[in-house]
Amino acid sequence: MPTAALALAALVLAAAPSLPAAGAPAAPAAAQPPAAAARAEVHALVERCVAAYGGKKAVVRLARVREEGTVTSLLHPGQPGRITRVYQRSGKLRVEIAFPGAPVEVRVLDGGRGWRFGEEVGGPFLMSMILQAARLDLPALLAAWENKVEDRGAWEADGATLRVLALEVAPGVVVEAGIDPATGRILRSRGASRGGAPVEFVTTYSDFRTVDGVLVAFREGNWANGQTTGETVLEKVELPARIDPAAFRP
C-alpha cells in the first residue's frame, strides 16, 4: 500500500510548465506517440476526478474519515444494522457492524494485516478490507500512483458509459474505478484478486453530497461475485484532524 508521505508528496508536488519568452513565436505542437497520448488522457481523467471531489486540498483532507449509517445484509434479513467506519491513510480501517440480536462485528485493517472478531484473517476477508479502505480513498490513490494506473477502457453501467482506471493497491489485489467522464465522479468500483480463487466485489455510489468541501457518496450498493449483498446508507460523515491510534488495533 502507498505510504502517507508518498501519497501526499504526489498530490502536492506539481511542476509548472515553462513559458516562451515574450514575443517569441510559439513552437509548433509535436504529435504525441500513441502511448504518450494515452497517458495524457489518463492524466486528464485523474485530474477531473480529483477536482470533482474537491480538488487537491480536499483530497488531502480525505486522509482521515469517520462515517456512521445503516447497513442491510442478506445474512441479516429484516431490520437494518448500524455501521461505523473509521479510515486513516495509509491502509488503516476499522469497521463496526451491529445487527439486532447479533454480536457486534469488528473488522480492523492495519496495512497488510487484518482482524475480524479479534482473530487475524487472510484470503477473501483480508482482501475485502483492503478494498474497502482503498475505495474510501480512491481519488487520492489514483492521483498519488498515476504512473501505475492502467486504462481499461469503457464500462457500461446502468445506462452510463464510464471510463475504467485500475490500480493494484496490494500484491495481487486490484481495484477499478468507473469514472463518469462528464463529472469526474466515481460511480462504480470493482475489486478483484489476481490468481487463486476468483473473488470480485462491486460497489455503486450515489446520493453525492459535499462535506466540508469534500464530495462524499452517501449511498453504496454492494455485490460479491455477482450477488447483491446489501446496501450502506450514510447519515454522518466527519473529516477529523486526528484519529486515536487505538482504533486500528484488534
Side-chain angles (χ1 to χ4, degrees):
M1 295 285 291
T3 65
L6 286 175
L8 292 178
L11 289 173
V12 300
L13 295 179
S18 58
L19 299 176
Q32 288 184 313
R39 293 314 302 176
E41 194 172 344
V42 167
H43 175 71
L45 186 59
V46 169
E47 284 204 327
R48 192 174 307 134
C49 179
V50 170
Y53 283 82
K56 292 183 179 180
K57 182 178 179 179
V59 169
V60 170
R61 297 200 63 200
L62 282 170
R64 289 173 296 275
V65 181
R66 189 180 189 280
E67 302 175 337
E68 296 178 18
T70 62
V71 61
T72 59
S73 170
L74 291 180
L75 299 178
H76 298 275
Q79 188 174 351
R82 299 292 306 174
I83 185 170
T84 300
R85 295 193 299 218
V86 181
Y87 169 78
Q88 180 171 298
R89 195 179 296 152
S90 208
K92 295 179 182 292
L93 177 71
R94 183 182 185 90
V95 180
E96 297 182 8
I97 304 174
F99 282 96
V104 177
E105 178 180 357
V106 178
R107 307 173 188 173
V108 176
L109 177 72
D110 187 357
R113 299 180 67 189
W115 295 263
R116 182 172 179 259
F117 289 115
E119 299 290 331
E120 190 161 6
V121 297
F125 279 122
L126 178 60
M127 174 187 166
S128 68
M129 287 189 278
I130 290 173
L131 288 171
Q132 190 168 27
R135 290 196 300 264
L136 290 169
D137 209 11
L138 261 181
L141 289 176
L142 293 174
W145 295 88
E146 186 183 316
N147 63 326
K148 296 182 181 296
V149 170
E150 178 185 347
D151 185 353
R152 294 194 173 177
W155 187 1
E156 299 295 330
D158 301 324
T161 301
L162 309 180
R163 275 289 298 283
V164 180
L165 299 182
L167 179 65
E168 188 172 34
V169 293
V173 180
V174 178
V175 63
E176 295 177 343
I179 303 173
D180 179 358
T183 65
R185 293 179 176 182
I186 299 170
L187 301 184
R188 195 177 182 95
S189 68
R190 174 181 175 270
S193 58
R194 295 187 190 271
V199 181
E200 177 189 70
F201 298 98
V202 172
T203 301
T204 59
Y205 306 93
S206 58
D207 189 13
F208 288 89
R209 308 179 197 176
T210 300
V211 178
D212 294 336
V214 177
L215 188 70
V216 178
F218 272 67
R219 185 176 294 269
E220 302 172 2
N222 299 294
W223 285 261
N225 287 346
Q227 293 278 342
T228 180
T229 58
E231 184 178 59
T232 301
V233 179
L234 301 180
E235 299 170 348
K236 182 179 181 180
V237 177
E238 299 174 325
L239 307 173
R242 181 183 180 276
I243 295 175
D244 186 348
F248 308 111
R249 297 175 189 149

